[in-house]
Amino acid sequence: MSRCINEVTNIVNQYLLHEWIVFPATENERNNFKREFYENFHFPRCLGAIDCTHVAIIAPPENYPALPYYCRKGFYSINCQIIVSSNLKILGLNARFPGSTHDSAIWQASNIKTTLQNLYLRGDDSLLIGDSGYPLQPFLITPFENPEENSPESRYNYHFIRARNVIERLNGVLKSRFRCLLKHRVLNYRPTVAGKIIYSCGVLHNIAQHYNDNLREDEIIEEDEEDDFNEIVMRDGNWHRRGEEVRNQIVQRFFT
């Protein structure tokens, strides 16, 4: 069975990964995702939601530095960055970082971050939404902290939270569909092989979504995942100011 898993995951990663998990490259594709997101959640300019989720693995072998894989939740893991559309399609998946890596550090090293940054500099208004564990940027916006009740900022937060919940649902659906990703199951493979398994699960999830092979509500398992709000967030002052400007523009136009 282990040899079969290795052979299948190698094939999926080599031939299917870049066909089935694709970040929208054209303006038309981005506009379609933004329209779907607005129709579903009444949140503008949004391509998708971003977050990280931990997938438990066994302690890495001696030729790996084990400590970086030991996450703050008390087990060895890979911290997987996922970007999901409003219809639960995975647009981006990164399973290369050890469990101790902060979500914002994974984002800063992300190719998709570079892509969105370049699009922004060319005048594209596409963005992602993430929780307060991420830095506020003009292409990745976060909620307001403790806004005044019934204020435009609180209305923004209300719609923001509803929209961002899609990533929580995706994590539940993905781990329920492939229960080897659940924390208590633990992938019994070294990190590189575990990463290939995670990517393969993402590909197969997108194929299932494409063909409307959906899980029933009673089949979805929700794992409790603590957020990284209290950890240091990597911020760049210039991008943060631009992010504030973009977020304020959205508040003024859509929630005032």
Side-chain angles (χ1 to χ4, degrees), residues 23-24 33-34 37 41 43 45-52 80-93 107 112 116 127-131 134 139-141 159-171:
F23 195 74
F33 281 112
K34 287 187 286 188
F37 218 100
F41 301 112
F43 201 90
R45 298 173 53 175
C46 185
L47 290 171
I50 183 172
D51 202 1
C52 287
C80 304
Q81 176 183 275
I82 304 178
I83 298 171
V84 64
S85 73
S86 64
N87 59 6
L88 297 187
K89 180 179 182 180
I90 297 174
L91 303 180
L93 177 59
W107 168 246
I112 291 178
L116 284 172
L127 53 80
L128 302 176
I129 55 175
D131 62 31
Y134 287 95
F139 38 84
L140 171 56
I141 58 174
H159 288 280
F160 182 100
I161 292 168
R162 285 186 66 247
R164 205 197 73 82
N165 187 61
V166 70
I167 188 69
E168 308 292 347
R169 181 168 179 80
L170 180 277
N171 287 334

Short mmCIF file of all heavy atoms in Angstrom, two decimals, residues 23-24 33-34 37 41 43 45-52 80-93 107 112 116 127-131 134 139-141 159-171:
data_model
loop_
_atom_site.label_atom_id
_atom_site.label_comp_id
_atom_site.label_asym_id
_atom_site.label_seq_id
_atom_site.Cartn_x
_atom_site.Cartn_y
_atom_site.Cartn_z
N PHE A 23 -3.99 29.35 -9.68
CA PHE A 23 -4.42 30.70 -9.33
C PHE A 23 -4.82 31.43 -10.59
O PHE A 23 -4.15 31.32 -11.62
CB PHE A 23 -3.29 31.45 -8.62
CG PHE A 23 -3.75 32.69 -7.90
CD1 PHE A 23 -4.45 32.60 -6.72
CD2 PHE A 23 -3.49 33.95 -8.42
CE1 PHE A 23 -4.88 33.74 -6.05
CE2 PHE A 23 -3.91 35.09 -7.77
CZ PHE A 23 -4.61 34.99 -6.58
N PRO A 24 -5.95 32.18 -10.59
CA PRO A 24 -6.45 32.81 -11.82
C PRO A 24 -5.41 33.75 -12.44
O PRO A 24 -4.94 34.69 -11.80
CB PRO A 24 -7.70 33.57 -11.37
CG PRO A 24 -7.58 33.68 -9.88
CD PRO A 24 -6.81 32.48 -9.43
N PHE A 33 -14.14 35.08 -10.53
CA PHE A 33 -14.04 34.70 -9.11
C PHE A 33 -14.54 35.82 -8.21
O PHE A 33 -15.22 35.57 -7.21
CB PHE A 33 -12.61 34.32 -8.76
CG PHE A 33 -12.22 32.93 -9.19
CD1 PHE A 33 -11.28 32.74 -10.20
CD2 PHE A 33 -12.80 31.82 -8.60
CE1 PHE A 33 -10.93 31.46 -10.60
CE2 PHE A 33 -12.46 30.53 -9.00
CZ PHE A 33 -11.51 30.36 -10.01
N LYS A 34 -14.21 37.07 -8.54
CA LYS A 34 -14.67 38.19 -7.73
C LYS A 34 -16.18 38.34 -7.79
O LYS A 34 -16.82 38.64 -6.78
CB LYS A 34 -13.97 39.48 -8.19
CG LYS A 34 -12.50 39.55 -7.79
CD LYS A 34 -11.87 40.90 -8.10
CE LYS A 34 -11.62 41.09 -9.57
NZ LYS A 34 -10.83 42.33 -9.84
N PHE A 37 -17.73 35.65 -5.64
CA PHE A 37 -17.56 35.95 -4.22
C PHE A 37 -18.54 37.02 -3.77
O PHE A 37 -19.15 36.92 -2.69
CB PHE A 37 -16.12 36.42 -3.94
CG PHE A 37 -15.57 35.91 -2.64
CD1 PHE A 37 -14.73 34.81 -2.61
CD2 PHE A 37 -15.91 36.50 -1.45
CE1 PHE A 37 -14.23 34.32 -1.42
CE2 PHE A 37 -15.41 36.04 -0.25
CZ PHE A 37 -14.57 34.94 -0.23
N PHE A 41 -21.33 36.37 -0.93
CA PHE A 41 -21.06 36.95 0.40
C PHE A 41 -21.17 38.47 0.45
O PHE A 41 -20.94 39.05 1.52
CB PHE A 41 -19.65 36.53 0.86
CG PHE A 41 -19.45 35.05 0.95
CD1 PHE A 41 -18.59 34.40 0.09
CD2 PHE A 41 -20.15 34.29 1.89
CE1 PHE A 41 -18.41 33.03 0.16
CE2 PHE A 41 -19.97 32.92 1.97
CZ PHE A 41 -19.11 32.28 1.10
N PHE A 43 -19.21 40.68 -0.60
CA PHE A 43 -17.94 41.30 -0.26
C PHE A 43 -17.19 41.57 -1.55
O PHE A 43 -16.97 40.65 -2.35
CB PHE A 43 -17.11 40.40 0.66
CG PHE A 43 -16.05 41.15 1.42
CD1 PHE A 43 -16.34 41.70 2.67
CD2 PHE A 43 -14.80 41.37 0.88
CE1 PHE A 43 -15.39 42.42 3.36
CE2 PHE A 43 -13.84 42.09 1.55
CZ PHE A 43 -14.13 42.62 2.80
N ARG A 45 -14.41 42.79 -4.58
CA ARG A 45 -13.02 42.74 -5.05
C ARG A 45 -12.26 41.50 -4.61
O ARG A 45 -11.06 41.38 -4.82
CB ARG A 45 -12.26 44.00 -4.59
CG ARG A 45 -12.82 45.27 -5.15
CD ARG A 45 -12.18 46.52 -4.57
NE ARG A 45 -10.73 46.52 -4.66
CZ ARG A 45 -9.98 47.55 -4.30
NH1 ARG A 45 -10.55 48.66 -3.82
NH2 ARG A 45 -8.66 47.49 -4.39
N CYS A 46 -12.94 40.55 -4.01
CA CYS A 46 -12.27 39.43 -3.36
C CYS A 46 -12.20 38.20 -4.27
O CYS A 46 -13.22 37.72 -4.76
CB CYS A 46 -13.00 39.07 -2.07
SG CYS A 46 -12.17 37.78 -1.14
N LEU A 47 -10.98 37.70 -4.48
CA LEU A 47 -10.77 36.46 -5.21
C LEU A 47 -11.02 35.25 -4.34
O LEU A 47 -11.54 34.24 -4.79
CB LEU A 47 -9.34 36.38 -5.74
CG LEU A 47 -8.93 37.33 -6.86
CD1 LEU A 47 -7.43 37.26 -7.09
CD2 LEU A 47 -9.67 36.98 -8.14
N GLY A 48 -10.62 35.35 -3.07
CA GLY A 48 -10.74 34.20 -2.19
C GLY A 48 -10.27 34.51 -0.78
O GLY A 48 -9.81 35.61 -0.49
N ALA A 49 -10.36 33.51 0.07
CA ALA A 49 -9.93 33.63 1.46
C ALA A 49 -8.67 32.80 1.67
O ALA A 49 -8.50 31.75 1.04
CB ALA A 49 -11.03 33.17 2.41
N ILE A 50 -7.81 33.28 2.56
CA ILE A 50 -6.54 32.61 2.82
C ILE A 50 -6.42 32.26 4.30
O ILE A 50 -6.87 33.02 5.16
CB ILE A 50 -5.35 33.49 2.38
CG1 ILE A 50 -4.01 32.76 2.59
CG2 ILE A 50 -5.34 34.82 3.13
CD1 ILE A 50 -2.82 33.50 2.00
N ASP A 51 -5.84 31.11 4.58
CA ASP A 51 -5.51 30.73 5.95
C ASP A 51 -4.56 29.55 5.88
O ASP A 51 -4.33 28.97 4.81
CB ASP A 51 -6.76 30.37 6.74
CG ASP A 51 -6.55 30.49 8.26
OD1 ASP A 51 -5.44 30.88 8.67
OD2 ASP A 51 -7.48 30.20 9.02
N CYS A 52 -4.00 29.21 7.04
CA CYS A 52 -3.14 28.03 7.14
C CYS A 52 -3.79 27.01 8.06
O CYS A 52 -4.53 27.36 8.98
CB CYS A 52 -1.77 28.41 7.67
SG CYS A 52 -0.74 29.31 6.48
N CYS A 80 0.11 24.29 6.31
CA CYS A 80 -0.29 24.38 4.91
C CYS A 80 -1.07 25.66 4.65
O CYS A 80 -2.11 25.90 5.28
CB CYS A 80 -1.17 23.20 4.52
SG CYS A 80 -0.41 21.60 4.83
N GLN A 81 -0.59 26.48 3.73
CA GLN A 81 -1.32 27.67 3.32
C GLN A 81 -2.31 27.30 2.22
O GLN A 81 -1.94 26.67 1.23
CB GLN A 81 -0.35 28.73 2.80
CG GLN A 81 -1.04 29.98 2.26
CD GLN A 81 -0.05 30.97 1.70
OE1 GLN A 81 0.52 31.77 2.42
NE2 GLN A 81 0.18 30.92 0.39
N ILE A 82 -3.56 27.70 2.42
CA ILE A 82 -4.61 27.40 1.44
C ILE A 82 -5.33 28.69 1.06
O ILE A 82 -5.65 29.50 1.93
CB ILE A 82 -5.63 26.38 1.99
CG1 ILE A 82 -4.93 25.10 2.45
CG2 ILE A 82 -6.68 26.05 0.93
CD1 ILE A 82 -5.87 24.06 3.05
N ILE A 83 -5.59 28.86 -0.22
CA ILE A 83 -6.43 29.94 -0.73
C ILE A 83 -7.62 29.29 -1.42
O ILE A 83 -7.45 28.40 -2.26
CB ILE A 83 -5.65 30.84 -1.71
CG1 ILE A 83 -4.46 31.49 -1.00
CG2 ILE A 83 -6.57 31.91 -2.31
CD1 ILE A 83 -3.50 32.22 -1.94
N VAL A 84 -8.82 29.72 -1.06
CA VAL A 84 -10.03 29.06 -1.57
C VAL A 84 -11.00 30.09 -2.12
O VAL A 84 -11.11 31.21 -1.61
CB VAL A 84 -10.70 28.22 -0.45
CG1 VAL A 84 -11.20 29.11 0.68
CG2 VAL A 84 -11.84 27.38 -1.00
N SER A 85 -11.70 29.71 -3.18
CA SER A 85 -12.72 30.58 -3.78
C SER A 85 -14.03 30.44 -3.02
O SER A 85 -14.16 29.63 -2.09
CB SER A 85 -12.92 30.20 -5.25
OG SER A 85 -13.63 28.97 -5.34
N SER A 86 -15.02 31.21 -3.43
CA SER A 86 -16.32 31.19 -2.74
C SER A 86 -17.05 29.86 -2.91
O SER A 86 -17.94 29.54 -2.14
CB SER A 86 -17.20 32.33 -3.25
OG SER A 86 -17.51 32.13 -4.62
N ASN A 87 -16.67 29.08 -3.94
CA ASN A 87 -17.34 27.79 -4.17
C ASN A 87 -16.46 26.61 -3.76
O ASN A 87 -16.62 25.50 -4.29
CB ASN A 87 -17.78 27.66 -5.63
CG ASN A 87 -16.61 27.78 -6.59
OD1 ASN A 87 -15.45 27.85 -6.18
ND2 ASN A 87 -16.90 27.82 -7.89
N LEU A 88 -15.51 26.86 -2.83
CA LEU A 88 -14.66 25.82 -2.24
C LEU A 88 -13.64 25.24 -3.21
O LEU A 88 -13.13 24.13 -3.00
CB LEU A 88 -15.49 24.69 -1.62
CG LEU A 88 -16.41 25.04 -0.46
CD1 LEU A 88 -17.02 23.78 0.13
CD2 LEU A 88 -15.66 25.81 0.63
N LYS A 89 -13.32 25.96 -4.26
CA LYS A 89 -12.24 25.53 -5.15
C LYS A 89 -10.92 26.04 -4.59
O LYS A 89 -10.78 27.23 -4.30
CB LYS A 89 -12.46 26.07 -6.56
CG LYS A 89 -11.35 25.66 -7.53
CD LYS A 89 -11.61 26.20 -8.93
CE LYS A 89 -10.52 25.74 -9.89
NZ LYS A 89 -10.75 26.26 -11.27
N ILE A 90 -9.95 25.15 -4.46
CA ILE A 90 -8.63 25.55 -3.98
C ILE A 90 -7.89 26.27 -5.10
O ILE A 90 -7.65 25.69 -6.17
CB ILE A 90 -7.82 24.33 -3.49
CG1 ILE A 90 -8.52 23.69 -2.29
CG2 ILE A 90 -6.40 24.74 -3.12
CD1 ILE A 90 -7.87 22.39 -1.83
N LEU A 91 -7.52 27.53 -4.85
CA LEU A 91 -6.79 28.33 -5.84
C LEU A 91 -5.29 28.33 -5.58
O LEU A 91 -4.51 28.66 -6.49
CB LEU A 91 -7.30 29.78 -5.82
CG LEU A 91 -8.79 29.99 -6.06
CD1 LEU A 91 -9.13 31.47 -6.00
CD2 LEU A 91 -9.21 29.40 -7.40
N GLY A 92 -4.90 28.01 -4.37
CA GLY A 92 -3.49 27.97 -4.03
C GLY A 92 -3.28 27.04 -2.84
O GLY A 92 -4.07 27.04 -1.90
N LEU A 93 -2.19 26.26 -2.89
CA LEU A 93 -1.89 25.33 -1.81
C LEU A 93 -0.38 25.25 -1.66
O LEU A 93 0.34 25.02 -2.64
CB LEU A 93 -2.46 23.94 -2.12
CG LEU A 93 -2.19 22.81 -1.12
CD1 LEU A 93 -2.72 23.16 0.25
CD2 LEU A 93 -2.81 21.50 -1.62
N TRP A 107 3.14 33.44 3.96
CA TRP A 107 2.58 34.37 2.98
C TRP A 107 3.65 35.24 2.35
O TRP A 107 3.67 35.45 1.14
CB TRP A 107 1.50 35.22 3.63
CG TRP A 107 1.05 36.40 2.80
CD1 TRP A 107 1.22 37.71 3.09
CD2 TRP A 107 0.36 36.35 1.55
NE1 TRP A 107 0.68 38.50 2.09
CE2 TRP A 107 0.14 37.68 1.14
CE3 TRP A 107 -0.10 35.32 0.73
CZ2 TRP A 107 -0.50 38.01 -0.06
CZ3 TRP A 107 -0.74 35.63 -0.46
CH2 TRP A 107 -0.94 36.97 -0.84
N ILE A 112 2.19 33.59 -4.83
CA ILE A 112 0.91 34.27 -5.07
C ILE A 112 0.95 35.68 -4.49
O ILE A 112 0.37 36.61 -5.07
CB ILE A 112 -0.25 33.44 -4.49
CG1 ILE A 112 -0.43 32.16 -5.31
CG2 ILE A 112 -1.55 34.25 -4.45
CD1 ILE A 112 -1.51 31.23 -4.82
N LEU A 116 0.05 38.92 -6.75
CA LEU A 116 -0.94 39.93 -6.40
C LEU A 116 -0.30 41.30 -6.24
O LEU A 116 -0.90 42.33 -6.59
CB LEU A 116 -1.68 39.53 -5.13
CG LEU A 116 -2.72 38.43 -5.29
CD1 LEU A 116 -3.25 37.98 -3.94
CD2 LEU A 116 -3.87 38.89 -6.17
N LEU A 127 -7.98 41.15 -4.57
CA LEU A 127 -7.40 40.96 -3.25
C LEU A 127 -7.90 39.67 -2.62
O LEU A 127 -8.84 39.04 -3.10
CB LEU A 127 -7.70 42.16 -2.35
CG LEU A 127 -9.17 42.62 -2.19
CD1 LEU A 127 -9.94 41.77 -1.21
CD2 LEU A 127 -9.21 44.08 -1.77
N LEU A 128 -7.23 39.30 -1.54
CA LEU A 128 -7.64 38.17 -0.70
C LEU A 128 -8.06 38.71 0.66
O LEU A 128 -7.74 39.83 1.02
CB LEU A 128 -6.48 37.19 -0.52
CG LEU A 128 -5.87 36.58 -1.78
CD1 LEU A 128 -4.67 35.71 -1.41
CD2 LEU A 128 -6.90 35.77 -2.56
N ILE A 129 -8.78 37.88 1.42
CA ILE A 129 -9.12 38.24 2.79
C ILE A 129 -8.51 37.21 3.73
O ILE A 129 -8.53 36.01 3.45
CB ILE A 129 -10.65 38.36 3.01
CG1 ILE A 129 -11.37 37.07 2.60
CG2 ILE A 129 -11.20 39.54 2.24
CD1 ILE A 129 -12.86 37.08 2.91
N GLY A 130 -7.95 37.71 4.84
CA GLY A 130 -7.33 36.83 5.82
C GLY A 130 -7.58 37.34 7.22
O GLY A 130 -7.96 38.50 7.42
N ASP A 131 -7.35 36.51 8.21
CA ASP A 131 -7.58 36.91 9.59
C ASP A 131 -6.47 37.83 10.09
O ASP A 131 -5.54 38.18 9.35
CB ASP A 131 -7.77 35.69 10.50
CG ASP A 131 -6.53 34.79 10.55
OD1 ASP A 131 -5.40 35.32 10.43
OD2 ASP A 131 -6.68 33.57 10.72
N TYR A 134 -2.51 37.86 9.62
CA TYR A 134 -1.84 38.28 8.39
C TYR A 134 -1.60 39.79 8.41
O TYR A 134 -2.36 40.54 9.03
CB TYR A 134 -2.67 37.91 7.16
CG TYR A 134 -2.65 36.44 6.86
CD1 TYR A 134 -3.65 35.60 7.33
CD2 TYR A 134 -1.62 35.88 6.11
CE1 TYR A 134 -3.63 34.23 7.07
CE2 TYR A 134 -1.59 34.53 5.84
CZ TYR A 134 -2.58 33.71 6.32
OH TYR A 134 -2.55 32.36 6.05
N PHE A 139 -3.51 44.12 -1.21
CA PHE A 139 -3.99 42.94 -1.92
C PHE A 139 -4.31 41.80 -0.96
O PHE A 139 -4.63 40.70 -1.37
CB PHE A 139 -2.96 42.48 -2.96
CG PHE A 139 -1.53 42.62 -2.47
CD1 PHE A 139 -0.94 41.65 -1.70
CD2 PHE A 139 -0.81 43.75 -2.78
CE1 PHE A 139 0.34 41.79 -1.24
CE2 PHE A 139 0.49 43.91 -2.34
CZ PHE A 139 1.08 42.93 -1.55
N LEU A 140 -4.22 42.08 0.35
CA LEU A 140 -4.63 41.13 1.40
C LEU A 140 -5.15 41.94 2.57
O LEU A 140 -4.38 42.56 3.30
CB LEU A 140 -3.45 40.26 1.84
CG LEU A 140 -3.68 39.37 3.08
CD1 LEU A 140 -4.88 38.46 2.89
CD2 LEU A 140 -2.43 38.54 3.39
N ILE A 141 -6.47 41.96 2.75
CA ILE A 141 -7.04 42.81 3.79
C ILE A 141 -7.55 41.95 4.94
O ILE A 141 -7.87 40.77 4.78
CB ILE A 141 -8.14 43.73 3.25
CG1 ILE A 141 -9.27 42.93 2.60
CG2 ILE A 141 -7.56 44.73 2.26
CD1 ILE A 141 -10.45 43.80 2.19
N HIS A 159 -19.64 41.35 7.26
CA HIS A 159 -19.56 40.71 5.94
C HIS A 159 -18.22 40.02 5.74
O HIS A 159 -18.14 38.97 5.09
CB HIS A 159 -19.81 41.74 4.85
CG HIS A 159 -21.24 42.20 4.77
ND1 HIS A 159 -22.22 41.46 4.13
CD2 HIS A 159 -21.85 43.29 5.26
CE1 HIS A 159 -23.38 42.09 4.22
NE2 HIS A 159 -23.18 43.21 4.90
N PHE A 160 -17.18 40.61 6.30
CA PHE A 160 -15.85 40.01 6.20
C PHE A 160 -15.83 38.64 6.86
O PHE A 160 -15.34 37.66 6.29
CB PHE A 160 -14.83 40.94 6.88
CG PHE A 160 -13.40 40.46 6.80
CD1 PHE A 160 -12.53 40.99 5.86
CD2 PHE A 160 -12.92 39.49 7.67
CE1 PHE A 160 -11.23 40.55 5.78
CE2 PHE A 160 -11.61 39.04 7.60
CZ PHE A 160 -10.76 39.58 6.65
N ILE A 161 -16.37 38.54 8.07
CA ILE A 161 -16.36 37.28 8.80
C ILE A 161 -17.18 36.22 8.08
O ILE A 161 -16.78 35.05 7.98
CB ILE A 161 -16.87 37.50 10.24
CG1 ILE A 161 -15.87 38.34 11.03
CG2 ILE A 161 -17.13 36.17 10.94
CD1 ILE A 161 -16.39 38.85 12.35
N ARG A 162 -18.34 36.61 7.56
CA ARG A 162 -19.16 35.67 6.79
C ARG A 162 -18.40 35.16 5.57
O ARG A 162 -18.45 33.97 5.25
CB ARG A 162 -20.46 36.34 6.34
CG ARG A 162 -21.49 36.53 7.43
CD ARG A 162 -22.80 37.06 6.86
NE ARG A 162 -23.45 36.08 5.99
CZ ARG A 162 -23.60 36.24 4.67
NH1 ARG A 162 -23.12 37.32 4.06
NH2 ARG A 162 -24.21 35.33 3.96
N ALA A 163 -17.72 36.08 4.89
CA ALA A 163 -16.99 35.70 3.69
C ALA A 163 -15.78 34.82 4.02
O ALA A 163 -15.54 33.80 3.36
CB ALA A 163 -16.54 36.95 2.93
N ARG A 164 -15.05 35.17 5.06
CA ARG A 164 -13.83 34.42 5.40
C ARG A 164 -14.15 33.03 5.94
O ARG A 164 -13.29 32.13 5.91
CB ARG A 164 -12.99 35.19 6.42
CG ARG A 164 -11.50 34.83 6.39
CD ARG A 164 -10.80 35.28 7.64
NE ARG A 164 -11.13 34.47 8.79
CZ ARG A 164 -10.58 33.29 9.08
NH1 ARG A 164 -9.65 32.79 8.31
NH2 ARG A 164 -10.95 32.61 10.15
N ASN A 165 -15.36 32.82 6.37
CA ASN A 165 -15.75 31.51 6.90
C ASN A 165 -15.61 30.41 5.84
O ASN A 165 -15.54 29.23 6.18
CB ASN A 165 -17.19 31.56 7.42
CG ASN A 165 -17.58 30.27 8.13
OD1 ASN A 165 -17.00 29.88 9.12
ND2 ASN A 165 -18.59 29.59 7.58
N VAL A 166 -15.54 30.80 4.57
CA VAL A 166 -15.41 29.80 3.51
C VAL A 166 -14.12 29.00 3.65
O VAL A 166 -14.09 27.81 3.32
CB VAL A 166 -15.51 30.46 2.11
CG1 VAL A 166 -14.27 31.30 1.80
CG2 VAL A 166 -15.71 29.42 1.03
N ILE A 167 -13.07 29.60 4.18
CA ILE A 167 -11.81 28.86 4.36
C ILE A 167 -11.93 27.86 5.51
O ILE A 167 -11.37 26.77 5.45
CB ILE A 167 -10.62 29.82 4.58
CG1 ILE A 167 -9.29 29.06 4.56
CG2 ILE A 167 -10.75 30.59 5.89
CD1 ILE A 167 -8.90 28.50 3.24
N GLU A 168 -12.71 28.21 6.54
CA GLU A 168 -12.95 27.26 7.62
C GLU A 168 -13.74 26.06 7.11
O GLU A 168 -13.47 24.91 7.48
CB GLU A 168 -13.69 27.94 8.77
CG GLU A 168 -13.06 29.22 9.28
CD GLU A 168 -11.73 28.99 9.98
OE1 GLU A 168 -11.43 27.82 10.30
OE2 GLU A 168 -11.01 29.98 10.21
N ARG A 169 -14.72 26.35 6.27
CA ARG A 169 -15.51 25.26 5.70
C ARG A 169 -14.64 24.38 4.80
O ARG A 169 -14.76 23.15 4.82
CB ARG A 169 -16.70 25.81 4.93
CG ARG A 169 -17.58 24.71 4.33
CD ARG A 169 -18.90 25.24 3.83
NE ARG A 169 -19.70 24.16 3.24
CZ ARG A 169 -20.41 23.28 3.94
NH1 ARG A 169 -20.44 23.36 5.25
NH2 ARG A 169 -21.11 22.34 3.34
N LEU A 170 -13.79 25.00 4.01
CA LEU A 170 -12.91 24.24 3.13
C LEU A 170 -12.03 23.29 3.93
O LEU A 170 -11.88 22.12 3.57
CB LEU A 170 -12.06 25.19 2.29
CG LEU A 170 -11.05 24.62 1.27
CD1 LEU A 170 -9.73 24.22 1.87
CD2 LEU A 170 -11.65 23.44 0.48
N ASN A 171 -11.47 23.78 5.03
CA ASN A 171 -10.63 22.92 5.86
C ASN A 171 -11.41 21.72 6.37
O ASN A 171 -10.91 20.59 6.41
CB ASN A 171 -10.04 23.71 7.03
CG ASN A 171 -8.94 24.66 6.60
OD1 ASN A 171 -8.28 24.45 5.59
ND2 ASN A 171 -8.75 25.73 7.37
#
